[in-house]
Amino acid sequence: MAKKLCGTNYPTSICFIVVNEFCERFSYYGMKAVLTLYFVSYLHWDKDLSTAVYHAFSGLCYFTPILGALIADSWLGKFRTIIYLSVVYVIGHVVKSVGAIPTVGNSEAHIALSMLGLILIAFGTGGIKPCVAAFGGDQFDEENVSERQKFFSIFYMSINAGSLLSTVITPILRGDVQCFGGDCYALAFGVPAALMVVALVVFIAGSGLYKRNPPQGNILLEVCNCIGFAIKNRWRSSKHDGKRSHWLDWAEEKYPKRLIQEIKMVLRVLLLYIPLPMFWALFDQQGSRWTLQATRMNLAFGDAFVIKPDQMQMLNALLILVFVPIFDLLIYPLVGLCRIRITPLRKMAAGMVFAALAFGAATLVEVNVVKTVVEPAPAGKCLLQVFNLAEGEIRVQTPGGLFTEPIGHMQDPPKYEMLDLEASSKELNIRVTLSGRTSDCVQTFEEETAYSLFFYATAAGIQCKLAQDYIKKNEDGNPMLRFFNTQPEAVNLTVGDVTFHVPGDHGVSSNRTVTRREYPAVGCVSAVQECSSLDLGLLDFGAVYTVVLANTSGEVVPHKMEDVEANNVHIAWQIPQYVIITAGEVMFSITGLEFSYSQAPANMKSVLQAGWLLTVAFGNVIVLIVAEGAGLEQWIEFLLFAGLLLGVSIIFSIMTLFYTYVDPDQLDKIYLEGSGKDDDDVKKKTGDLQLDPKGKSTRL
């Protein structure tokens, strides 16, 4: 007899299972929270490829549970399946963490290790997904039904707790801890790996307490075989074999009539699953497209708190904990008081509409976010901005007459101008006039490139210096900075923990990423002039700065220019889309699972769970295809997804009109009543058994 917990009916073994699940979910969601930024910032993939690989991984995580269930039910049993696949899981995490160490191999090695690690993680997490919860349920005796139900509540609470904590902690480990000269992705992946090791050790530690049921065969495999036999038998039949009321009835020669009737019930539900992947296509973009959107927003809540772009995902886990009781105790009863009949399928359709509205909100945010982005020049053109370092106003003449207004001394250029080259590369003569004196500046420009042209005065007249610019906003949201040195000698500066060496005689430093904050006293070392401390002020999110070091009264004085505008849309504007999509999740996901389980016979619930997980997998496949194949602007892509889901929700609503609710628990009763009766009479009873939308049994 299993040991009980503190005199209750709860088996002691469930403590190990709950702790295991908490650590495993921390491991999975913690790793996944920083995954998109890892692809973009560390592997230097573009946003579309990063999104595609992210969703390919997510999809694989929901395809592999089918394999895990087959292994557990047909071969190893749940306990050994969890152990063996957890080892695979741990190896995947370790490989993934090693791939994030810059000193290990080159970029190809990092990509190979990362992909191998993700594949192993997908097989590990997906393989144990259908086993752990069911294994926990196996620990209870049949008479302890209420305790088992409470265990599942605690179990799913541990999932949300692990998800919430990990999406807060791992982005901090990534961004606030510096290692190998940058964000510490090795640590951000290493901590989840350590938690997965803890999960495995804890689960093994309870091995002497577990109740282990032997493998009893996989019902999903039996269902597939039955369907396959029915199709094959129907195909081989001749017109003289007679008609059957349903195509599945062609399997009656080999399979029990009860199994066939149960499969019919399941297929009616699975038919409703066809439109569902579209919801998950939108929902799972919280970790990809929405995170990338957050990198281009202002992440500061006052001076005291700055959120990481990949931390915003924690809102979903937090809001789920808040919304579930609110919907169950307040919103659904209030809607019922308005004499609006609430059915599970109507809730799911409403959840789809809410997810579409969330992407409508994301579209509005994106339209405003992109206003601070500098679009790169197309083929045959380049971008150009002009700095005037000479005393007095200058006038600049270019092909096409781009700069019509005079440019003041140390004036921050308002924007880049598009210079038409009509070739991949072209030498252009740019004429500048200062105080009536005109000089020519001849420079070579390349297409699809951004440039800054610096004009400065010398004894010989106006001279120019052309510098190539970096106009892409930083992937992690931090600002980028470079220096232009007007002094004859080199200058060394330390901005936070980043050191800049600026060559003398109008030299330009490279663009470097710095942390977003105020810099009232930047360390400066010059061999000749006084520059011990420079005030750069606030270097803000998403901006790209050029700081001109000028000589004023024998001292080095900085003049800060903004090449790319700072992010001016606050991250709080993402909160509405998270609120709306989480409300949609409560109505769609939780209700969908409850509906599926209520409409399936007891031994078919695992089949519907497999079907449900596959809708998530195919939803991620949809995002993969759109991200890599469509090539749309981001706000248009958001609008496309919103429109598609609205259309799918209409189709789903129409499909629900033809669905009638059934009571699978009555199946046994009908078969008992039908014992000894005609088979057709039993089939008629099982086919006609239905529920009204409130769940009351009725016959049509």
Side-chain angles (χ1 to χ4, degrees), residues 59 62-63 65-66 126 129-130 273 608-618:
Y62 284 92
F63 278 118
I66 310 299
K129 191 184 293 290
Y273 280 4
L608 282 185
Q609 184 184 22
W612 183 264
L613 294 174
L614 286 178
T615 66
V616 183
F618 284 112

PDB file of all heavy atoms in Angstrom, residues 59 62-63 65-66 126 129-130 273 608-618:
ATOM      1  N   GLY A  59       6.693  23.730 -32.657  1.00  0.00           N
ATOM      2  CA  GLY A  59       5.859  22.718 -33.299  1.00  0.00           C
ATOM      3  C   GLY A  59       6.344  21.308 -33.015  1.00  0.00           C
ATOM      4  O   GLY A  59       5.542  20.407 -32.727  1.00  0.00           O
ATOM      5  N   TYR A  62       5.303  19.779 -29.831  1.00  0.00           N
ATOM      6  CA  TYR A  62       3.920  19.317 -29.742  1.00  0.00           C
ATOM      7  C   TYR A  62       3.615  18.165 -30.707  1.00  0.00           C
ATOM      8  O   TYR A  62       2.518  17.609 -30.662  1.00  0.00           O
ATOM      9  CB  TYR A  62       2.959  20.488 -29.974  1.00  0.00           C
ATOM     10  CG  TYR A  62       2.868  21.388 -28.768  1.00  0.00           C
ATOM     11  CD1 TYR A  62       3.701  22.495 -28.633  1.00  0.00           C
ATOM     12  CD2 TYR A  62       1.976  21.109 -27.740  1.00  0.00           C
ATOM     13  CE1 TYR A  62       3.636  23.301 -27.520  1.00  0.00           C
ATOM     14  CE2 TYR A  62       1.901  21.917 -26.614  1.00  0.00           C
ATOM     15  CZ  TYR A  62       2.735  23.009 -26.512  1.00  0.00           C
ATOM     16  OH  TYR A  62       2.671  23.809 -25.390  1.00  0.00           O
ATOM     17  N   PHE A  63       4.545  17.826 -31.575  1.00  0.00           N
ATOM     18  CA  PHE A  63       4.416  16.602 -32.368  1.00  0.00           C
ATOM     19  C   PHE A  63       4.925  15.383 -31.585  1.00  0.00           C
ATOM     20  O   PHE A  63       4.360  14.297 -31.678  1.00  0.00           O
ATOM     21  CB  PHE A  63       5.210  16.716 -33.678  1.00  0.00           C
ATOM     22  CG  PHE A  63       4.492  17.456 -34.774  1.00  0.00           C
ATOM     23  CD1 PHE A  63       5.016  18.630 -35.294  1.00  0.00           C
ATOM     24  CD2 PHE A  63       3.297  16.981 -35.287  1.00  0.00           C
ATOM     25  CE1 PHE A  63       4.358  19.324 -36.303  1.00  0.00           C
ATOM     26  CE2 PHE A  63       2.626  17.660 -36.301  1.00  0.00           C
ATOM     27  CZ  PHE A  63       3.157  18.833 -36.805  1.00  0.00           C
ATOM     28  N   PRO A  65       4.845  14.518 -28.379  1.00  0.00           N
ATOM     29  CA  PRO A  65       4.053  13.805 -27.369  1.00  0.00           C
ATOM     30  C   PRO A  65       3.379  12.542 -27.892  1.00  0.00           C
ATOM     31  O   PRO A  65       3.160  11.594 -27.124  1.00  0.00           O
ATOM     32  CB  PRO A  65       3.005  14.849 -26.952  1.00  0.00           C
ATOM     33  CG  PRO A  65       3.682  16.157 -27.149  1.00  0.00           C
ATOM     34  CD  PRO A  65       4.523  15.955 -28.379  1.00  0.00           C
ATOM     35  N   ILE A  66       3.052  12.514 -29.181  1.00  0.00           N
ATOM     36  CA  ILE A  66       2.461  11.299 -29.758  1.00  0.00           C
ATOM     37  C   ILE A  66       3.439  10.137 -29.624  1.00  0.00           C
ATOM     38  O   ILE A  66       3.069   9.024 -29.241  1.00  0.00           O
ATOM     39  CB  ILE A  66       2.107  11.525 -31.244  1.00  0.00           C
ATOM     40  CG1 ILE A  66       1.295  12.808 -31.436  1.00  0.00           C
ATOM     41  CG2 ILE A  66       1.381  10.315 -31.798  1.00  0.00           C
ATOM     42  CD1 ILE A  66      -0.019  12.824 -30.712  1.00  0.00           C
ATOM     43  N   GLY A 126       8.539  16.968 -25.162  1.00  0.00           N
ATOM     44  CA  GLY A 126       7.336  16.426 -25.790  1.00  0.00           C
ATOM     45  C   GLY A 126       7.069  14.994 -25.371  1.00  0.00           C
ATOM     46  O   GLY A 126       5.920  14.604 -25.136  1.00  0.00           O
ATOM     47  N   LYS A 129       5.622  14.875 -21.857  1.00  0.00           N
ATOM     48  CA  LYS A 129       4.422  15.694 -21.647  1.00  0.00           C
ATOM     49  C   LYS A 129       3.170  14.860 -21.361  1.00  0.00           C
ATOM     50  O   LYS A 129       2.430  15.153 -20.417  1.00  0.00           O
ATOM     51  CB  LYS A 129       4.202  16.606 -22.856  1.00  0.00           C
ATOM     52  CG  LYS A 129       3.155  17.689 -22.640  1.00  0.00           C
ATOM     53  CD  LYS A 129       2.922  18.481 -23.913  1.00  0.00           C
ATOM     54  CE  LYS A 129       4.135  19.299 -24.313  1.00  0.00           C
ATOM     55  NZ  LYS A 129       4.382  20.418 -23.400  1.00  0.00           N
ATOM     56  N   PRO A 130       2.881  13.808 -22.154  1.00  0.00           N
ATOM     57  CA  PRO A 130       1.658  13.052 -21.876  1.00  0.00           C
ATOM     58  C   PRO A 130       1.788  12.066 -20.720  1.00  0.00           C
ATOM     59  O   PRO A 130       0.792  11.456 -20.323  1.00  0.00           O
ATOM     60  CB  PRO A 130       1.415  12.300 -23.191  1.00  0.00           C
ATOM     61  CG  PRO A 130       2.773  12.094 -23.754  1.00  0.00           C
ATOM     62  CD  PRO A 130       3.577  13.302 -23.361  1.00  0.00           C
ATOM     63  N   TYR A 273     -11.747  20.241 -34.619  1.00  0.00           N
ATOM     64  CA  TYR A 273     -10.363  20.664 -34.364  1.00  0.00           C
ATOM     65  C   TYR A 273      -9.709  21.278 -35.605  1.00  0.00           C
ATOM     66  O   TYR A 273      -8.689  21.972 -35.481  1.00  0.00           O
ATOM     67  CB  TYR A 273      -9.510  19.470 -33.927  1.00  0.00           C
ATOM     68  CG  TYR A 273      -9.652  19.074 -32.476  1.00  0.00           C
ATOM     69  CD1 TYR A 273     -10.562  19.697 -31.636  1.00  0.00           C
ATOM     70  CD2 TYR A 273      -8.865  18.060 -31.940  1.00  0.00           C
ATOM     71  CE1 TYR A 273     -10.682  19.324 -30.309  1.00  0.00           C
ATOM     72  CE2 TYR A 273      -8.975  17.680 -30.613  1.00  0.00           C
ATOM     73  CZ  TYR A 273      -9.882  18.311 -29.801  1.00  0.00           C
ATOM     74  OH  TYR A 273      -9.996  17.941 -28.492  1.00  0.00           O
ATOM     75  N   LEU A 608      -8.093  12.290 -27.921  1.00  0.00           N
ATOM     76  CA  LEU A 608      -8.426  13.702 -28.096  1.00  0.00           C
ATOM     77  C   LEU A 608      -7.303  14.605 -27.587  1.00  0.00           C
ATOM     78  O   LEU A 608      -7.064  15.677 -28.130  1.00  0.00           O
ATOM     79  CB  LEU A 608      -9.734  14.030 -27.369  1.00  0.00           C
ATOM     80  CG  LEU A 608     -11.009  13.592 -28.096  1.00  0.00           C
ATOM     81  CD1 LEU A 608     -12.238  14.075 -27.360  1.00  0.00           C
ATOM     82  CD2 LEU A 608     -11.031  14.108 -29.519  1.00  0.00           C
ATOM     83  N   GLN A 609      -6.607  14.173 -26.520  1.00  0.00           N
ATOM     84  CA  GLN A 609      -5.467  14.966 -26.051  1.00  0.00           C
ATOM     85  C   GLN A 609      -4.391  15.024 -27.131  1.00  0.00           C
ATOM     86  O   GLN A 609      -3.800  16.082 -27.368  1.00  0.00           O
ATOM     87  CB  GLN A 609      -4.884  14.359 -24.771  1.00  0.00           C
ATOM     88  CG  GLN A 609      -3.738  15.212 -24.196  1.00  0.00           C
ATOM     89  CD  GLN A 609      -3.080  14.571 -22.993  1.00  0.00           C
ATOM     90  OE1 GLN A 609      -3.153  13.364 -22.796  1.00  0.00           O
ATOM     91  NE2 GLN A 609      -2.419  15.377 -22.176  1.00  0.00           N
ATOM     92  N   ALA A 610      -4.161  13.896 -27.787  1.00  0.00           N
ATOM     93  CA  ALA A 610      -3.185  13.881 -28.884  1.00  0.00           C
ATOM     94  C   ALA A 610      -3.630  14.808 -30.005  1.00  0.00           C
ATOM     95  O   ALA A 610      -2.830  15.572 -30.557  1.00  0.00           O
ATOM     96  CB  ALA A 610      -3.016  12.462 -29.411  1.00  0.00           C
ATOM     97  N   GLY A 611      -4.917  14.770 -30.347  1.00  0.00           N
ATOM     98  CA  GLY A 611      -5.431  15.670 -31.381  1.00  0.00           C
ATOM     99  C   GLY A 611      -5.300  17.125 -30.998  1.00  0.00           C
ATOM    100  O   GLY A 611      -4.960  17.978 -31.832  1.00  0.00           O
ATOM    101  N   TRP A 612      -5.547  17.422 -29.727  1.00  0.00           N
ATOM    102  CA  TRP A 612      -5.434  18.803 -29.236  1.00  0.00           C
ATOM    103  C   TRP A 612      -3.997  19.295 -29.354  1.00  0.00           C
ATOM    104  O   TRP A 612      -3.737  20.417 -29.795  1.00  0.00           O
ATOM    105  CB  TRP A 612      -5.915  18.877 -27.793  1.00  0.00           C
ATOM    106  CG  TRP A 612      -5.910  20.261 -27.214  1.00  0.00           C
ATOM    107  CD1 TRP A 612      -4.934  20.832 -26.460  1.00  0.00           C
ATOM    108  CD2 TRP A 612      -6.925  21.260 -27.369  1.00  0.00           C
ATOM    109  NE1 TRP A 612      -5.272  22.115 -26.126  1.00  0.00           N
ATOM    110  CE2 TRP A 612      -6.494  22.410 -26.664  1.00  0.00           C
ATOM    111  CE3 TRP A 612      -8.152  21.291 -28.020  1.00  0.00           C
ATOM    112  CZ2 TRP A 612      -7.246  23.572 -26.597  1.00  0.00           C
ATOM    113  CZ3 TRP A 612      -8.902  22.458 -27.952  1.00  0.00           C
ATOM    114  CH2 TRP A 612      -8.457  23.566 -27.260  1.00  0.00           C
ATOM    115  N   LEU A 613      -3.039  18.465 -28.949  1.00  0.00           N
ATOM    116  CA  LEU A 613      -1.629  18.856 -29.033  1.00  0.00           C
ATOM    117  C   LEU A 613      -1.205  19.063 -30.486  1.00  0.00           C
ATOM    118  O   LEU A 613      -0.388  19.948 -30.777  1.00  0.00           O
ATOM    119  CB  LEU A 613      -0.749  17.797 -28.367  1.00  0.00           C
ATOM    120  CG  LEU A 613      -0.910  17.636 -26.849  1.00  0.00           C
ATOM    121  CD1 LEU A 613      -0.083  16.465 -26.348  1.00  0.00           C
ATOM    122  CD2 LEU A 613      -0.512  18.912 -26.111  1.00  0.00           C
ATOM    123  N   LEU A 614      -1.757  18.278 -31.380  1.00  0.00           N
ATOM    124  CA  LEU A 614      -1.411  18.437 -32.795  1.00  0.00           C
ATOM    125  C   LEU A 614      -1.925  19.764 -33.352  1.00  0.00           C
ATOM    126  O   LEU A 614      -1.315  20.330 -34.262  1.00  0.00           O
ATOM    127  CB  LEU A 614      -1.962  17.272 -33.613  1.00  0.00           C
ATOM    128  CG  LEU A 614      -1.222  15.936 -33.469  1.00  0.00           C
ATOM    129  CD1 LEU A 614      -1.904  14.852 -34.289  1.00  0.00           C
ATOM    130  CD2 LEU A 614       0.241  16.069 -33.890  1.00  0.00           C
ATOM    131  N   THR A 615      -3.043  20.281 -32.828  1.00  0.00           N
ATOM    132  CA  THR A 615      -3.508  21.599 -33.293  1.00  0.00           C
ATOM    133  C   THR A 615      -2.487  22.675 -32.938  1.00  0.00           C
ATOM    134  O   THR A 615      -2.289  23.619 -33.703  1.00  0.00           O
ATOM    135  CB  THR A 615      -4.873  21.961 -32.679  1.00  0.00           C
ATOM    136  OG1 THR A 615      -4.766  22.146 -31.262  1.00  0.00           O
ATOM    137  CG2 THR A 615      -5.914  20.906 -33.000  1.00  0.00           C
ATOM    138  N   VAL A 616      -1.838  22.534 -31.774  1.00  0.00           N
ATOM    139  CA  VAL A 616      -0.785  23.486 -31.391  1.00  0.00           C
ATOM    140  C   VAL A 616       0.404  23.358 -32.337  1.00  0.00           C
ATOM    141  O   VAL A 616       0.969  24.356 -32.792  1.00  0.00           O
ATOM    142  CB  VAL A 616      -0.333  23.248 -29.932  1.00  0.00           C
ATOM    143  CG1 VAL A 616       0.699  24.296 -29.516  1.00  0.00           C
ATOM    144  CG2 VAL A 616      -1.522  23.285 -28.983  1.00  0.00           C
ATOM    145  N   ALA A 617       0.770  22.117 -32.640  1.00  0.00           N
ATOM    146  CA  ALA A 617       1.909  21.881 -33.538  1.00  0.00           C
ATOM    147  C   ALA A 617       1.664  22.486 -34.913  1.00  0.00           C
ATOM    148  O   ALA A 617       2.518  23.197 -35.462  1.00  0.00           O
ATOM    149  CB  ALA A 617       2.173  20.382 -33.657  1.00  0.00           C
ATOM    150  N   PHE A 618       0.488  22.246 -35.478  1.00  0.00           N
ATOM    151  CA  PHE A 618       0.194  22.770 -36.814  1.00  0.00           C
ATOM    152  C   PHE A 618       0.044  24.294 -36.797  1.00  0.00           C
ATOM    153  O   PHE A 618       0.320  24.950 -37.803  1.00  0.00           O
ATOM    154  CB  PHE A 618      -1.054  22.104 -37.381  1.00  0.00           C
ATOM    155  CG  PHE A 618      -0.820  20.707 -37.880  1.00  0.00           C
ATOM    156  CD1 PHE A 618      -1.382  19.618 -37.243  1.00  0.00           C
ATOM    157  CD2 PHE A 618      -0.002  20.480 -38.981  1.00  0.00           C
ATOM    158  CE1 PHE A 618      -1.155  18.323 -37.697  1.00  0.00           C
ATOM    159  CE2 PHE A 618       0.238  19.199 -39.448  1.00  0.00           C
ATOM    160  CZ  PHE A 618      -0.336  18.115 -38.804  1.00  0.00           C
TER     161      PHE A 618
END
